[in-house]
Amino acid sequence: MSCPGTSSVTKLPGATVNVSADISNTSSTAVTGQLKIVDAANNPVASSTSASIGGGATQTFTASFTAPASAGTYTYTAQAYNVDNATVDDQCNFTVNVSTAGALSIVSVTLA
Amino acid sequence: MSYYPFTGVVVDVRWPRVLTHQVGSSQLDVWDCGGATCTTVGTIALSQGTKEIAYSRSSNAVGVMFVDNTVWAGTLTYDNAAQTWNLTLNSTPVASTSATYMLAVGDYVTYWEQQAGQEVAYVIDVSGTVVKQFTYSGNPCVIISTTYDYSGIGNPSIARKLFHNNLTQPRVNHFDAAWNFVNLYNWHGWGCYRGFFSRTATTGTGMEGFLAFNERVASLPMTTVRYEVHGDSSYSIPRWWSGYFPYTVGYDATNNRVPLINTSHQLLVDDNGSLVSVDPSLGTWEYYVTWAVPYGSASLIVLTMVSGTTAQSRIYEYAGGPALQITSLSLA
């Protein structure tokens, strides 16, 4: 399932990918939540700090990871991790397009 | 999910008090689960070793089968103020020398036995009086029967139903309040019922009645069962689920939650059809019985695991489905 909001970003090889997610607690009691990012092989690549989310409240979590060194399209999964129950309550996919196109820019031109 | 462990089979739950029975034991154990763990705080003595106890929370009807296969009927009530159970059995047993299985739902306890190659099923009231008896011949299956009060649900003129395995086809007998035969439904072409649960649902999305049961498919191993949850009064169309799982399923009608065991021996909990939580720590016991009771806005899910004459149980607190949702994501 694609993530609500932005579901893809283009990055240079080795650049930093910043993920920000709003996670809401649909229950009536506080839940400790965390944002986790895993790659297509389900390997963890990033996680936010955990924080308590009040019942019915929404909180923003951020996590960062390094884009792959090779050009290509990579799929990742953002997970809303329930620390209290040790369960992934919700998840969605997003893609990182790693490209060298546009990597070069003209810094200065000298005419003589 | 965390859980509370118990030895024996859970007979009743009035949280934080839990009543359990160890197969063959001459007592019931009362547990207090006020803290993170449970401790025994009392016992209810039985006159001799007990094989099985069937209890209906809705009417306090209880049946006790002792090791000599005699069946006793009575009541099991709970004193809220004193937080104690009171077990009262009749002074004489119901005559039986080969009772094999019991079940209590609604106002009655049912048990059945084999007599000269025939399956004989009985329905008894709390006084031990046999109010209905059925005899089937040529049935290789264990008969599991129970009563279920459908009054006010679907057809209010039909007050009682008896679910059983009649000859080679599961059927549903309908009776009026005086146990006069009213009608009979053929029900699927499956094999034997191994377990059965029925509840009256008064909440939920238009659900009028509820049936959940396990069916053993005769040509498949005993560990393969089929269960369905019927959410209406048609008795034929499962509202929610139908599928093959080993072992069994329970139901919390108040909260519309259905716990079940999947093929990996995981406890799964569902509100309306999608699996939402698993417990991978469960072992590979031979047989599971699970049921559920309301616990405030949550459910207490009872999982009993039986291997031979040894049993252990777990009670899970289940507060609901997934709590956290990703509502927005941004990348930079």
Side-chain angles (χ1 to χ4, degrees):
Chain A
M1 183 182 84
S2 295
C3 291
T6 310
S7 59
S8 67
V9 67
T10 299
K11 286 290 183 178
L12 294 171
T16 298
V17 179
N18 298 305
V19 183
S20 176
D22 291 340
I23 297 178
S24 64
N25 176 6
T26 61
S27 74
S28 58
T29 58
V31 173
T32 303
Q34 186 179 28
L35 172 65
K36 289 188 173 184
I37 310 296
V38 298
D39 63 18
N42 207 34
N43 297 314
V45 297
S47 62
S48 71
T49 57
S50 59
S52 178
I53 310 173
T58 299
Q59 183 147 331
T60 301
F61 293 83
T62 59
S64 301
F65 63 97
T66 302
S70 302
T73 300
Y74 299 86
T75 300
Y76 296 88
T77 300
Q79 299 177 331
Y81 184 69
N82 186 324
V83 177
D84 298 333
N85 293 336
T87 57
V88 176
D89 284 3
D90 192 20
Q91 62 183 16
C92 61
N93 296 329
F94 65 89
T95 58
V96 175
N97 300 310
V98 177
S99 173
T100 57
L104 302 180
S105 59
I106 299 174
V107 177
S108 67
V109 176
T110 301
L111 301 175
Chain B
M1 292 183 290
S2 59
Y3 62 87
Y4 297 85
F6 300 92
T7 55
V9 175
V10 172
V11 178
D12 191 22
V13 177
R14 309 287 171 138
W15 201 256
R17 290 291 166 89
V18 178
L19 186 66
T20 66
H21 171 249
Q22 184 70 47
V23 178
S25 170
S26 297
Q27 68 182 35
L28 304 179
D29 296 311
V30 182
W31 301 74
D32 188 338
C33 303
T37 59
C38 302
T39 56
T40 52
V41 294
T43 59
I44 299 175
L46 298 166
S47 61
Q48 55 184 307
T50 304
K51 292 171 61 179
E52 191 169 339
I53 294 175
Y55 174 52
S56 171
R57 299 179 100 236
S58 62
S59 66
N60 300 321
V62 65
V64 179
M65 184 190 303
F66 290 108
V67 291
D68 62 358
N69 293 320
T70 58
V71 173
W72 297 65
T75 58
L76 177 64
T77 57
Y78 185 73
D79 186 327
N80 284 299
Q83 293 191 316
T84 58
W85 279 275
N86 299 302
L87 175 66
T88 302
L89 297 180
N90 297 307
S91 56
T92 57
V94 179
S96 176
T97 57
S98 59
T100 56
Y101 200 79
M102 302 176 63
L103 198 63
V105 176
D107 297 333
Y108 300 94
V109 174
T110 66
Y111 70 95
W112 48 97
E113 60 188 5
Q114 280 210 335
Q115 291 183 2
Q118 293 182 318
E119 296 279 357
V120 183
Y122 302 90
V123 181
I124 59 175
D125 61 20
V126 295
S127 71
T129 302
V130 176
V131 298
K132 201 69 181 180
Q133 176 177 334
F134 301 88
T135 301
Y136 312 106
S137 59
N139 187 349
C141 303
V142 173
I143 297 171
I144 295 178
S145 59
T146 186
T147 56
Y148 181 51
D149 187 350
Y150 253 88
S151 58
I153 303 172
N155 185 346
S157 66
I158 299 175
R160 291 165 180 160
K161 299 179 188 300
L162 183 72
F163 300 89
H164 64 90
N165 206 6
N166 188 358
L167 297 178
T168 58
Q169 188 171 42
R171 294 185 175 185
V172 184
N173 277 349
H174 295 204
F175 301 91
D176 62 19
W179 286 101
N180 297 310
F181 179 78
V182 177
N183 205 342
L184 181 146
Y185 284 81
N186 290 335
W187 202 0
H188 307 288
W190 300 90
C192 305
Y193 296 139
R194 184 66 175 84
F196 184 86
F197 299 85
S198 65
R199 296 288 188 277
T200 301
T202 56
T203 62
T205 54
M207 190 166 65
E208 296 177 334
F210 169 78
L211 303 173
F213 56 91
N214 309 296
E215 284 179 317
R216 174 188 178 186
V217 180
S219 61
L220 297 176
M222 193 62 188
T223 51
T224 300
V225 297
R226 181 175 187 266
Y227 84 93
E228 295 184 5
V229 177
H230 291 247
D232 56 25
S233 56
S234 70
Y235 316 117
S236 59
I237 301 173
R239 176 71 62 88
W240 290 345
W241 296 342
S242 177
Y244 293 96
F245 295 91
Y247 313 127
T248 191
V249 56
Y251 185 61
D252 167 4
T254 300
N255 293 316
N256 289 332
R257 286 168 183 159
V258 183
L260 62 110
I261 303 298
N262 74 358
T263 53
S264 299
H265 305 98
Q266 295 170 318
L267 176 65
L268 307 160
V269 182
D270 181 86
D271 280 1
N272 281 303
S274 60
L275 303 178
V276 295
S277 183
V278 299
D279 183 347
S281 65
L282 297 178
T284 55
W285 288 64
E286 294 179 355
Y287 181 63
Y288 297 87
V289 176
T290 177
W291 51 292
V293 293
Y295 176 53
S297 60
S299 299
L300 292 173
I301 297 169
V302 181
L303 174 64
T304 295
M305 298 164 281
V306 178
S307 178
T309 57
T310 302
Q312 62 175 277
S313 298
R314 297 176 178 183
I315 295 181
Y316 294 82
E317 292 183 36
Y318 179 66
L324 302 181
Q325 289 184 351
I326 298 174
T327 55
S328 178
L329 189 99
S330 61
L331 303 169

